[in-house]
Amino acid sequence: MKRKWWQDAIIYQVYLRSFKDSNNDGIGDFKGLTSKLDYLKNLGVNTVWVSPHYKSPMDDNGYDISDYFKVSKDYGNIDDVIDFIEKAHIRNMKVIFDLVLNHTSDEHEWFKAAKNPVHVDHHKYHDYYIWQTPKYDKQGNRQMPTQWRSWFGGPVWEYNPPTNEYYLHIFSKKMPDLNWHNDNMKRDLKDVARWWIDLGVDGFRVDASNHLEKDWSFPEGHPGYEYFSSLPKHHEYLEEFGVEVFKPNNVMAMGEAGGATKEEALKYCGFENDEFDMLIHFGHCWADCDDSNHITPGKWSKGQIDVLHIKKSFDKWFKMLNGDGWNLIYWHNHDHPRVISHYGNDSVYHNESGKMLAFCLYMMPGTPIVYQGEEIGMTNVDYHNLEDFRDVEVFTEYDNFLSFGATHEVAMQALRDRSRDNARSPFQWDATKYSGFSTTKPWMNINYNYKVINLENQLEDKSSLYNTHKELFKLRKEEKLNDGVLEFINMKDKNTIIYVNETETSKFLIITNFTTHKVIVDLDIELTGYRNIMYNYTARELLPKMKLLPYEALVYKKEK
Ligand code: GLC
Ligand code: CA
């Protein structure tokens, strides 16, 4: 396959709302982002993925789109977008936009017509969405078609009195799911993508891409995820979109999906397929859930970190795609807790564990995605009032926790540990009030620790997390780490992640301790010739038996 630009990319994910506010209304925007392009360029990333910027009532911070062709007034106008794309391109940077194909906002014109039987366009748009008539119990009470549960915690069905039907929403009730059996709907979405391609975007991240097909026999199930996630037919839709929209226009597409077999993985992002170029999968995420917790269950229960699980997932994906597809690597996105609070240690070992996580990930092959603020070690939020949170999911889940028996404090701790808001607090640029993000109180509170953890504090400090990331990105490019071959060592050790990334010219050995205690590692490989090029405590000679300090991490290089 001819080499593609995205194989040399280092992607930076921007959560627009919280990156940089240019007009001081407390909300991040395009002008703010454009003003930080030099910062990003200097950090060493070359591609920017922007979270949804379309017109939206912001029930789910823009993933609920009410007009695909308009820019949200919160973020600026179309000229600001054009200017951003131009200025990124001048700097040799690529632009990726988020493309939401699974649902619209309930305030989208299509849905307004669909739900209203007397609307002139009702017949045209009703079938753009997924409707079911009610069931009735013996007493004649209206019942939902199924007991399926939405990803945000409540039922997936919302009743619409004017048509006496329920519509399906697998996320919030303000996000009705689109009907991918409808050809006109598909045509309209393809036009949306083409319109943004014409404006100059280089790629898309396709939101919720494994949810497009549903089981139209609507079997009973609770939560019933298997009836609206990863059904075989969604591959057909993605392929159709790829063939008609992405490939002919030469734009990059990356999808998201939960698990996948090798066959499926290659369908999504094998070199020979037509769906995506790369896939964001979640194999290494949430490797610390406590299954015995039924009060704040599932992803909300923080337990012991399972390091084996993390490395097995990376190993599995590299083996599955080996030579037949291209890997994406990342720690987390806007739907997860901050990695330093999640898999590292955001208090005593902030700097050490931050570097350990950076070495561990950014020395691997593949195309990396850096999440905004990760490069300075931003942490989970420290909100103490429910009202401090913003995410739509938080509020349904908080009520669930209480109904399962959680106290207010237990529920709040689960939110601080696990909610999506952790990744969404404003960027900490400096120590001024509102952290240089804005001069007004932002839409969401700044993290309490911004006076200590901020970019300005780290710019001049050679040993800072910021400069460590910068050094790693430089090394990635110089050494063509994206192209290497990954091999894990000591696979069974539950405390460490150790691997070799072998490039054409060198071998890199990365040793990382994921625990707060000292661990001993035995290295049963050929050790001669390795030089220690990066470390988070002090430089160390490579030995067959090494005692690692808490979160110690070392990078060695050997020329071939
Ligand atoms: C994806 C997004 C998430 C959003 C959901 C619905 O999972 O990453 O933030 O809430 O889709 O669009
Ligand atoms: Ca603004």
Side-chain angles (χ1 to χ4, degrees):
M1 192 192 77
K2 194 171 151 276
R3 194 169 180 84
K4 298 283 173 51
W5 65 264
W6 40 265
Q7 294 178 284
D8 294 308
I10 300 180
I11 304 171
Y12 188 93
Q13 184 189 350
V14 167
Y15 201 69
L16 199 51
R17 225 176 163 68
S18 290
F19 193 55
K20 174 69 188 168
D21 176 15
S22 73
N23 61 344
N24 294 313
D25 62 353
I27 303 173
D29 46 52
F30 269 106
K31 280 206 170 103
L33 168 56
T34 306
S35 74
K36 293 296 181 187
L37 274 171
D38 285 330
Y39 163 71
L40 296 176
K41 177 88 189 167
N42 200 260
L43 172 64
V45 302
N46 55 17
T47 303
V48 185
W49 154 21
V50 188
S51 58
H53 59 282
Y54 314 90
K55 186 174 176 196
S56 163
M58 297 292 167
D59 185 56
D60 188 22
N61 292 345
Y63 281 97
D64 49 319
I65 297 172
S66 55
D67 189 339
Y68 287 98
F69 299 103
K70 293 244 158 67
V71 181
S72 162
K73 58 177 177 3
D74 288 349
Y75 301 144
N77 58 36
I78 195 70
D79 292 331
D80 299 336
V81 178
I82 294 170
D83 188 53
F84 161 67
I85 296 175
E86 263 176 31
K87 294 212 163 108
H89 285 169
I90 288 170
R91 288 165 178 77
N92 247 328
M93 298 171 88
K94 303 278 187 189
V95 172
I96 300 174
F97 279 173
D98 226 298
L99 188 62
V100 185
L101 304 178
N102 180 69
H103 44 264
T104 66
S105 161
D106 65 339
E107 296 180 36
H108 193 289
E109 289 303 326
W110 298 343
F111 191 72
K112 285 190 194 161
K115 69 173 186 185
N116 178 359
V118 297
H119 191 288
V120 279
D121 285 329
H122 177 68
H123 294 293
K124 191 165 161 200
Y125 291 118
H126 181 260
D127 197 38
Y128 272 36
Y129 296 89
I130 301 173
W131 302 94
Q132 282 290 288
T133 48
K135 282 183 178 167
Y136 293 92
D137 66 11
K138 289 204 183 82
Q139 285 74 41
N141 298 316
R142 200 185 64 233
Q143 304 286 319
M144 293 185 186
T146 66
Q147 295 302 308
W148 301 356
R149 303 290 287 176
S150 104
W151 292 109
F152 291 169
V156 298
W157 298 106
E158 184 71 13
Y159 185 59
N160 181 51
T163 57
N164 187 32
E165 289 170 307
Y166 286 90
Y167 65 86
L168 183 85
H169 63 86
I170 68 168
F171 295 99
S172 97
K173 66 179 177 207
K174 284 187 65 63
M175 298 155 82
D177 279 59
L178 287 163
N179 171 11
W180 275 74
H181 290 199
N182 184 304
D183 288 334
N184 292 336
M185 191 290 290
K186 287 196 286 187
R187 182 208 55 214
D188 285 353
L189 284 183
K190 289 170 197 162
D191 286 345
V192 165
R194 291 192 190 103
W195 194 85
W196 289 99
I197 292 170
D198 289 346
L199 214 76
V201 304
D202 306 290
F204 293 107
R205 176 266 191 183
V206 181
D207 181 65
S209 47
N210 62 324
H211 299 304
L212 305 185
E213 175 65 347
K214 323 293 187 276
D215 186 330
W216 282 74
S217 66
F218 300 102
E220 191 47 282
H222 185 94
Y225 300 146
E226 67 275 30
Y227 303 124
F228 52 86
S229 299
S230 303
L231 281 101
K233 210 174 160 66
H234 81 281
H235 285 292
E236 285 175 35
Y237 304 143
L238 296 176
E239 192 177 13
E240 181 183 323
F241 220 87
V243 169
E244 293 180 32
V245 182
F246 300 142
K247 302 284 153 167
N249 289 293
N250 200 21
V251 290
M252 186 279 277
M254 51 186 196
E256 55 164 5
T261 58
K262 178 169 178 158
E263 192 195 345
E264 263 210 300
L266 291 176
K267 274 192 196 167
Y268 280 127
C269 60
F271 289 139
E272 301 301 322
N273 91 97
D274 287 317
E275 297 184 19
F276 299 128
D277 298 301
M278 297 186 283
L279 186 75
I280 301 171
H281 60 80
F282 303 110
H284 62 282
C285 303
W286 304 114
D288 62 344
C289 296
D290 172 6
D291 294 337
S292 68
N293 180 336
H294 300 295
I295 292 183
T296 58
K299 77 164 189 185
W300 298 96
S301 60
K302 189 173 167 66
Q304 280 293 321
I305 173 171
D306 182 352
V307 178
L308 289 181
H309 180 97
I310 297 175
K311 58 183 160 184
K312 273 190 201 149
S313 167
F314 281 116
D315 188 46
K316 175 182 138 181
W317 278 89
F318 276 97
K319 286 192 174 133
M320 280 199 307
L321 296 180
N322 185 23
D324 298 322
W326 197 255
N327 263 289
L328 263 180
I329 53 168
Y330 75 108
W331 274 132
H332 74 95
N333 63 27
H334 61 290
D335 295 332
H336 302 120
R338 289 276 175 189
V339 68
I340 201 164
S341 306
H342 195 184
Y343 291 166
N345 180 299
D346 62 12
S347 52
V348 187
Y349 297 108
H350 184 266
N351 188 278
E352 292 81 357
S353 73
K355 285 182 188 165
M356 184 281 286
L357 291 163
F359 293 180
C360 181
L361 187 76
Y362 296 114
M363 290 303 295
M364 281 186 201
T367 291
I369 310 179
V370 191
Y371 184 75
Q372 70 175 48
E374 188 188 326
E375 74 274 30
I376 56 167
M378 279 181 64
T379 68
N380 278 357
V381 297
D382 187 36
Y383 297 159
H384 283 274
N385 303 310
L386 188 57
E387 304 79 65
D388 292 337
F389 287 88
R390 291 288 173 270
D391 185 9
V392 54
E393 178 193 56
V394 156
F395 303 98
T396 35
E397 294 290 10
Y398 175 88
D399 291 344
N400 287 342
F401 302 154
L402 261 54
S403 76
F404 299 149
T407 60
H408 169 72
E409 219 6 83
V410 165
M412 290 297 293
Q413 190 58 47
L415 300 182
R416 281 192 294 268
D417 287 338
R418 318 294 273 188
S419 76
R420 307 194 302 177
D421 277 338
N422 285 306
R424 301 176 179 185
S425 66
F427 195 100
Q428 293 161 213
W429 297 100
D430 59 38
T432 59
K433 202 176 178 191
Y434 308 128
S435 75
F437 166 72
S438 180
T439 55
T440 4
K441 190 171 160 51
W443 72 283
M444 182 179 185
N445 286 345
I446 311 279
N447 197 309
Y448 71 102
N449 58 24
Y450 76 94
K451 288 205 167 142
V452 182
I453 301 173
N454 65 60
L455 175 70
E456 200 176 32
N457 275 349
Q458 299 189 16
L459 278 175
E460 301 306 322
D461 174 4
K462 278 224 150 28
S463 72
S464 69
L465 291 180
Y466 165 76
N467 279 309
T468 301
H469 282 85
K470 195 169 157 176
E471 199 179 329
L472 282 165
F473 300 152
K474 186 160 168 268
L475 191 73
R476 268 198 97 74
K477 268 178 248 166
E478 287 171 359
E479 298 287 351
K480 300 199 181 342
L481 292 179
N482 283 27
D483 288 60
V485 175
L486 178 69
E487 195 187 337
F488 285 94
I489 291 166
N490 295 15
M491 197 62 184
K492 295 209 170 86
D493 181 15
K494 57 184 182 13
N495 297 315
T496 61
I497 294 187
I498 305 177
Y499 64 84
V500 172
N501 180 357
E502 181 169 354
T503 66
E504 246 176 45
T505 51
S506 303
K507 278 186 171 188
F508 293 87
L509 170 64
I510 291 80
I511 302 177
T512 58
N513 175 8
F514 268 71
T515 73
T516 46
H517 50 265
K518 294 180 185 163
V519 300
I520 292 178
V521 293
D522 291 303
L523 295 166
D524 190 15
I525 52 163
E526 176 56 56
L527 302 178
T528 48
Y530 277 107
R531 255 180 326 117
N532 189 192
I533 56 166
M534 291 181 88
Y535 46 84
N536 62 349
Y537 284 87
T538 48
R540 286 178 68 175
E541 187 192 345
L542 187 62
L543 297 168
K545 198 188 233 354
M546 295 178 77
K547 193 185 213 174
L548 303 179
L549 297 169
Y551 297 106
E552 184 159 7
L554 298 149
V555 177
Y556 294 88
K557 176 181 176 183
K558 165 173 159 172
E559 265 124 55
K560 293 210 279 197

